[in-house]
Amino acid sequence: MLKTLMPQLRASARLLALLAFNLLGAAIVLGMGLWRRLGGSGAATPAIVQWWFRRVTPILGLRIHVEGEQARSALIVANHISWLDIPVLGALGPVGFLSKAEIRQWPLIGWMAAQIGTLFITRGGNQTAALIQRIETRMREQRPVVIFAEGTTSDGRQLRGFYPRLLAAGQQPGIDVQPVAIRYGTNAEPDPIAPFIDDDALIPNVWRVLCQPRTQVQVHFLPPIVGAGMDRRALASQCETLIAQALEVPIVARATAKPRKPEVAAQ
């Protein structure tokens, strides 16, 4: 009986801890906002946000294994599997995120994301030029930004073709692009719970994650690419190829939805 109830008891304890820590995070974010209104500097914000993510990931049951090193200042281009990708990458470095506008409407989380400087993009909103400028500004300030260039999540068994327009900031001189491969579970046994895909709802997905004893995550920081002068389609193609090779998964072209094997990227 107890063995049957253990996942629910574990999830309940983690959920209470997560709610309490989110309230603490909201208080911290509110304090940072008041500090800036009073004329204080926001220079410490990225470090504070990383501190918060590093303490949230154990509550979620995440066990993160890292290969490679995050570049000090780069446009980070990663594959996208779950909402968990954000706390995972946020725990590994002081980064900002480019996120879909729908997340801005999530209770508490959306407000907190906006307050810490998350950039939101509306589908079909023709915001590319403005976003490029904002991302470039952050890069110049040594503040890496994470882009999930697939534009949506996948189950981790394949990689969707990247949207080139999202990588336009990486074409600017002095801004490197760093591909990052994220995997939940292993190649032999991909995690079936972590992916947040199709018509899955957030709350049920969070509950299933919390029920797991642990969620293994592998993050591979690949060598940065000098994107200055590159065609953005070529830059997107090189990023997706390197990530697909690291994950050992096929690339699925958006137009045809047919898988294709990754080719060796041009060096």
Side-chain angles (χ1 to χ4, degrees), residues 24-36:
L24 173 62
I28 291 172
V29 169
L30 184 60
M32 290 190 302
L34 291 173
W35 173 250
R36 288 194 297 270

Side-chain angles (χ1 to χ4, degrees), residues 3-160:
K3 186 176 181 180
T4 304
L5 290 175
M6 270 305 295
Q8 286 74 26
L9 293 173
R10 179 189 301 114
S12 297
R14 285 177 172 171
L15 182 59
L16 289 174
L18 186 60
L19 290 173
F21 208 72
N22 274 335
L23 290 176
L24 173 62
I28 291 172
V29 169
L30 184 60
M32 290 190 302
L34 291 173
W35 173 250
R36 288 194 297 270
R37 283 177 177 268
L38 293 172
S41 170
T45 298
I48 293 172
V49 172
Q50 183 185 5
W51 173 88
W52 188 83
F53 278 131
R54 290 184 68 178
R55 281 148 184 81
V56 163
T57 48
I59 295 174
L60 293 169
L62 301 177
R63 301 294 183 269
I64 306 172
H65 174 73
V66 180
E67 293 184 50
E69 294 184 0
Q70 181 184 323
R72 185 173 180 179
S73 178
L75 180 65
I76 296 173
V77 179
N79 62 307
H80 198 15
I81 297 173
S82 170
W83 55 272
L84 291 168
D85 301 343
I86 293 174
V88 166
L89 293 177
L92 298 178
V95 298
F97 293 90
L98 176 66
S99 181
K100 60 182 181 180
E102 290 90 331
I103 291 178
R104 180 65 179 88
Q105 307 305 317
W106 289 5
L108 186 59
I109 299 297
W111 173 79
M112 290 172 62
Q115 296 306 306
I116 64 175
T118 299
L119 302 174
F120 295 102
I121 182 169
T122 303
R123 296 179 188 276
N126 195 26
Q127 309 166 64
T128 304
L131 278 172
I132 291 171
Q133 186 174 9
R134 295 177 69 185
I135 292 171
E136 184 179 354
T137 297
R138 295 195 181 189
M139 296 291 98
R140 304 296 182 198
E141 295 172 350
Q142 303 289 301
R143 298 166 60 193
V145 174
V146 176
I147 290 177
F148 299 112
E150 290 170 285
T152 187
T153 52
S154 72
D155 62 5
R157 298 173 186 269
Q158 60 187 19
L159 187 71
R160 298 177 188 270

Side-chain angles (χ1 to χ4, degrees), residues 171-196:
Q171 297 175 286
Q172 308 305 310
I175 298 178
D176 290 343
V177 177
Q178 184 169 35
V180 177
I182 304 173
R183 177 191 291 117
Y184 293 86
T186 65
N187 277 356
E189 296 183 33
D191 190 310
I193 301 298
F196 183 55

